[in-house]
Amino acid sequence: DVKVTQSSRYLVKRTGEKVFLECVQDMDHENMFWYRQDPGLGLRLIYFSYDVKMKEKGDIPEGYSVSREKKERFSLILESASTNQTSMYLCASSSRIGGNIQYFGAGTRLSVL
Amino acid sequence: QKEVEQDPGPLSVPEGAIVSLNCTYSNSAFQYFMWYRQYSRKGPELLMYTYSSGNKEDGRFTAQVDKSSKYISLFIRDSQPSDSATYLCAMSKTGANNLFFGTGTRLTVIP
């Protein structure tokens, strides 16, 4: 079974803090993704990576950065958290072969106060 | 116009009913079609995927793709309260990095 593990299920941070969200996958997938999910807005892609040290902006990259130093690990960084970044964050991975069928982690619910 | 359209519901059905969930899309280049189930406060779980047109069955679930109409469906037979969740459709082109998601349909199965 594919396993995508996100380091935290719930996080509470203060405005202005630097926040790290970690994601690890065990399927040797080339692609990894970070999304946020908000009621009424669906899933929105923040960043994705198709290889180690490679990254591409998604639809809403502003206020976020990412790091992929190892194939299995993809980190999302909020440089200075703001209240409008309160959301559910989802990590996913997929193989380069085929139709980019993505497997998701359990999600991190982040609250920024 | 969004590339993928999905009725958000909510949809409520009695236990044992047949459920039909649907998505339409505009891009004829889509070849891979997926359905995800997402329970409240959890991540989406891949239910089924199909390539190109046709049907695929897995237990009580059947996925159907009609490329000529740009329409995909997920049927749930003998629905159970444990099927209560949000169902997301998603699709992609061959070799693409992006998935295009519907906004999800919230389903409640009433015992």
Side-chain angles (χ1 to χ4, degrees):
Chain A
D1 269 1
V2 177
K3 195 156 177 82
V4 179
T5 303
Q6 294 184 231
S7 53
S8 306
R9 290 299 313 278
Y10 301 95
L11 271 180
V12 180
K13 297 292 180 181
R14 298 214 172 268
T15 303
E17 278 193 78
K18 192 168 186 176
V19 181
F20 293 87
L21 303 182
E22 306 284 343
C23 176
V24 177
Q25 51 95 4
D26 67 355
M27 281 302 294
D28 201 35
H29 282 165
E30 295 84 6
N31 302 325
M32 295 188 75
F33 305 83
W34 276 106
Y35 294 88
R36 64 177 283 177
Q37 186 176 35
D38 301 287
L41 296 176
L43 282 162
R44 292 183 291 169
L45 182 64
I46 303 170
Y47 268 98
F48 70 95
S49 168
Y50 54 88
D51 204 347
V52 174
K53 296 192 186 298
M54 306 305 288
K55 61 185 179 185
E56 293 279 347
K57 291 180 180 179
D59 300 318
I60 51 162
E62 296 79 18
Y64 304 93
S65 61
V66 290
S67 171
R68 192 161 180 208
E69 296 297 318
K70 293 186 177 181
K71 188 175 185 180
E72 67 270 19
R73 188 178 297 269
F74 193 35
S75 302
L76 180 70
I77 303 150
L78 287 66
E79 295 288 343
S80 177
S82 63
T83 55
N84 63 11
Q85 292 178 310
T86 291
S87 187
M88 172 73 133
Y89 289 88
L90 291 160
C91 175
S93 72
S94 71
S95 171
R96 189 175 292 157
I97 299 167
N100 188 23
I101 296 161
Q102 294 184 16
Y103 297 87
F104 285 84
T108 297
R109 186 165 290 276
L110 173 67
S111 296
V112 182
L113 306 177
Chain B
Q1 184 192 1
K2 287 184 184 177
E3 298 223 44
V4 180
E5 299 276 0
Q6 184 176 11
D7 186 337
L11 183 61
S12 289
V13 301
E15 184 175 353
I18 296 174
V19 176
S20 172
L21 303 166
N22 310 295
C23 290
T24 59
Y25 62 95
S26 55
N27 192 332
S28 57
F30 289 144
Q31 292 276 35
Y32 291 85
F33 303 92
M34 287 139 259
W35 285 96
Y36 291 86
R37 177 176 62 196
Q38 186 175 21
Y39 292 116
S40 182
R41 298 179 180 271
K42 299 282 178 68
E45 167 198 9
L46 181 68
L47 261 182
M48 301 178 70
Y49 68 90
T50 52
Y51 173 72
S52 196
S53 279
N55 291 3
K56 187 173 184 179
E57 189 173 318
D58 184 2
R60 296 184 295 111
F61 298 88
T62 300
Q64 208 170 68
V65 175
D66 182 348
K67 291 194 77 182
S68 61
S69 302
K70 297 192 182 71
Y71 189 88
I72 69 170
S73 300
L74 177 71
F75 297 97
I76 307 174
R77 289 186 301 282
D78 188 25
S79 55
Q80 302 295 309
S82 58
D83 295 328
S84 298
T86 297
Y87 290 81
L88 296 153
C89 64
M91 43 200 82
S92 69
K93 309 170 211 176
T94 302
N97 287 323
N98 285 16
L99 267 190
F100 293 85
F101 287 91
T103 50
T105 300
R106 191 194 296 183
L107 170 69
T108 301
V109 180
I110 302 163

